[in-house]
Amino acid sequence: MRVWDAKWSGGVEQSPKWSFAMFLTALLTLSVQAIAPHPMNATPIDPGSWVTSEDYPPDARRAGAEGRVEVALTVGDNGSVRACAVSRSSGSASLDGATCRLILERGRFKSATDAAGKPVEGTYSMRFAWDIPQGGSLVIQVTKSDAGFVCTTEHGGQRHVIKADWCKTWTDTIRSAGGDPLKALTIHDVGDPAEFIARHLQ
C-alpha cells in the first residue's frame, strides 16, 4: 500500500483521497506490527554464582593450573542447561570438566522465545576465568552445648562440624572482652577452604 503518492497538476501538490476503510486497514496493520513479539535469545540468570573460587578443583590448584574456558551451551525451553561443550580449553582437563559440571548443576536461563513469544530451545556461549584464589578465609560459628563448645562452618552449601579439640583450642585462645568465647570467629589465610575443612572435620 502506498501511503503517499504525490502528484503535480498545474503546480499544485495533490494527495490521493483516503477512504475510511483504507485508513482503518493501515491503522490496524501498524498496531499489529507494534505489538507483535520478536524472537528473543536465552538470557543467563545470575551467572556469577554458577562457578566461584570456592569450586576450584583441588588437583588443579595443587598443579597451579589456571586459564579461561569457553563453553557452548544448549538451553532447554524451560531455562535449564541441557548440554555443555568446551569450545576452547583452558589447557586443564580438570578446570574444563569442573566448568561444565557446575554449569549443568547450577546454570539457569530465561528461555529463548520464537516470533510468537513461545519458549523454545536455544544456545548460548560464554567464558569463565579460573584464577587460583589467594589466601582464603572461613567464618567459624561457635555454640554452647552440654559437652562444651561446638564449632561449625558453612562451605559449598553444606554445614561442617569442626573437631572438638580444634574448637576447644580456638575458643580457649580467642575470647571476647568479657571473657566468654566469641559466637563467631574468622580464620584468614586458610589456603584452600575445602582442604582446611577436611583436615579439621569432626
Side-chain angles (χ1 to χ4, degrees), residues 37-185:
H38 300 285
M40 298 290 290
N41 294 325
T43 305
I45 300 173
D46 193 20
S49 66
W50 300 357
V51 181
T52 71
S53 59
E54 291 186 351
D55 300 310
Y56 218 100
D59 59 332
R61 179 165 185 160
R62 287 191 294 270
E66 295 181 320
R68 307 291 182 268
V69 185
E70 293 185 12
V71 294
L73 309 177
T74 301
V75 182
D77 56 7
N78 64 348
S80 65
V81 180
R82 293 183 175 173
C84 173
V86 175
S87 53
R88 178 172 294 181
S89 173
S90 65
S92 166
S94 179
L95 296 180
D96 293 349
T99 303
C100 272
R101 175 178 58 80
L102 292 166
I103 292 174
L104 287 169
E105 289 177 2
R106 303 172 182 172
R108 293 294 300 174
F109 281 78
K110 180 179 180 181
S111 61
T113 57
D114 61 17
K118 179 182 177 181
V120 295
E121 185 175 274
T123 59
Y124 197 86
S125 297
M126 56 199 319
R127 176 187 299 175
F128 287 87
W130 287 97
D131 298 299
I132 295 177
Q134 302 300 315
S137 62
L138 283 175
V139 175
I140 309 296
Q141 301 293 331
V142 182
T143 56
K144 177 77 171 171
S145 72
D146 293 338
F149 292 98
V150 177
C151 294
T152 61
T153 187
E154 297 281 341
H155 180 71
Q158 295 183 334
R159 178 176 177 269
H160 304 277
V161 180
I162 303 299
K163 290 180 180 178
D165 55 345
W166 279 105
C167 184
K168 185 176 186 305
T169 298
W170 294 335
T171 55
D172 286 347
T173 303
I174 306 174
R175 292 180 178 272
S176 67
D180 295 324
L182 300 175
K183 293 183 179 179
L185 58 97

